[in-house]
Amino acid sequence: MEKYISLFPKYEPYVRQRAGCNKNTFFGRFRHFLDVIDPRTLFVTEECLRESVDLLESFKHGRLPPGVTSAQLWQAHKIKQAIIHPDTGDKIPMPFRMSGFIPFGTPVVVGLLLPNQTLVSTVFWQWLNQSHNACVNYSNRNASKPTDMSKFFQGYMGAVTSAVSIAVALRLAIQKADRFSPTTRRMVQRFIPFPAVASANVCNVVLMRHSELSEGINVLDDKGNVVGTSKMAAKRALFETAMTRVVLPMPILLLPPIVMAMLESRLPVLRSRPGLLLPVHSLVCLAAFSLALPLAISLFPQMSQIHAGRLEPEIAMATRCEILTYNKGL
């Protein structure tokens, strides 16, 4: 397990409730999520995962083998949090883990930003992007309550329909805009994916997790005990998740068109050798995605806190704990 050590190794004593970084600050969450999205965890073997889970269970019950260090515990914690869902305890499929979001999502981003898109290619890439997003949202949802699969498909269809409709409508509107020169039209078309993806991402989150609003999510006290089920906490969890889905595509879909326009105008080799455009474009998208993902998901902690007085009266009366915790999801 040595090669999966944290990107910020500070081997202070391991504490389960504190995952190595101060999540009350943006920088602390940023450091934490750099570990969560570390793509090296995609290559963790079943044996290594089992050893990590067993080691943390031994720590939880006070049965640590002699010689186990804090570094090994933090390492095991990183592996488990990257692969295992905190509510269900099940493995998250590799393409839908947060650590797989960049490797599996970058080809889709490249496709969304390809120049000279046809109507068919616009529909295809928007469909593929929202399909991937839907699976990521579902796999990283708050799963303290069971989810009806029919609602999953309703949410999926709603997100795909909204993304495709907005992208196609904007594309047709720009094509009919006579005041744009051909060069300006091509440049503007590169920015079409952002409003389509950002609005569809919000629809995707809300529709895919709508059952949480009607049924509520579990809220926990400072000892990890379930105090009750709160619709107010669910509303806040979905709002925070939707905000990250609006911020996430900003650098991913806005920066590459600007950077590529600058590179194409300043590097004659890209004009003389068009075959270089796709690999350079892919690298720019990968860099933008790698920057955007940890920044966006660091806006709010995954295990968020809320004052009991802001929840339903019956929940506030059921505990003496003033600050309660809920799993926002990712």
Side-chain angles (χ1 to χ4, degrees), residues 2-8 30-44 78-79 81-83 97-103 293-294 297:
E2 286 74 9
K3 62 181 177 180
Y4 302 113
I5 291 293
S6 168
L7 295 174
F8 297 92
F30 182 77
R31 289 179 55 186
H32 164 69
F33 282 119
L34 283 179
D35 265 352
V36 173
I37 68 172
D38 186 349
R40 292 177 298 174
T41 59
L42 294 173
F43 302 101
V44 172
K78 172 179 177 174
I79 292 172
Q81 75 177 357
I83 300 174
R97 299 173 195 166
M98 296 310 293
S99 56
F101 206 176
I102 293 175
L293 182 59
I297 61 178

Side-chain angles (χ1 to χ4, degrees), residues 232-278:
M232 298 295 294
K235 183 177 180 180
R236 181 168 165 178
L238 260 66
F239 171 78
E240 292 173 345
T241 305
M243 284 296 296
T244 66
R245 293 303 190 269
V246 172
V247 173
L248 177 60
M250 286 183 181
I252 299 174
L253 299 179
L254 296 181
L255 285 180
I258 296 173
V259 173
M260 288 303 298
M262 293 173 58
L263 292 177
E264 289 172 24
S265 64
R266 298 183 181 183
L267 296 179
V269 67
L270 292 180
R271 295 193 297 270
S272 61
R273 302 180 65 179
L276 292 176
L277 285 174
L278 182 58

Side-chain angles (χ1 to χ4, degrees), residues 27-57:
F27 184 66
R29 292 193 295 272
F30 182 77
R31 289 179 55 186
H32 164 69
F33 282 119
L34 283 179
D35 265 352
V36 173
I37 68 172
D38 186 349
R40 292 177 298 174
T41 59
L42 294 173
F43 302 101
V44 172
T45 63
E46 286 287 340
E47 180 182 1
C48 183
L49 174 61
R50 185 170 58 252
E51 290 175 355
S52 299
V53 173
D54 291 345
L55 186 61
L56 294 175
E57 283 297 309

Side-chain angles (χ1 to χ4, degrees), residues 195-212:
V197 169
S199 56
N201 281 356
V202 175
C203 294
N204 201 320
V205 170
V206 174
L207 293 172
M208 296 290 295
R209 297 174 56 179
H210 181 71
S211 60
E212 296 176 25

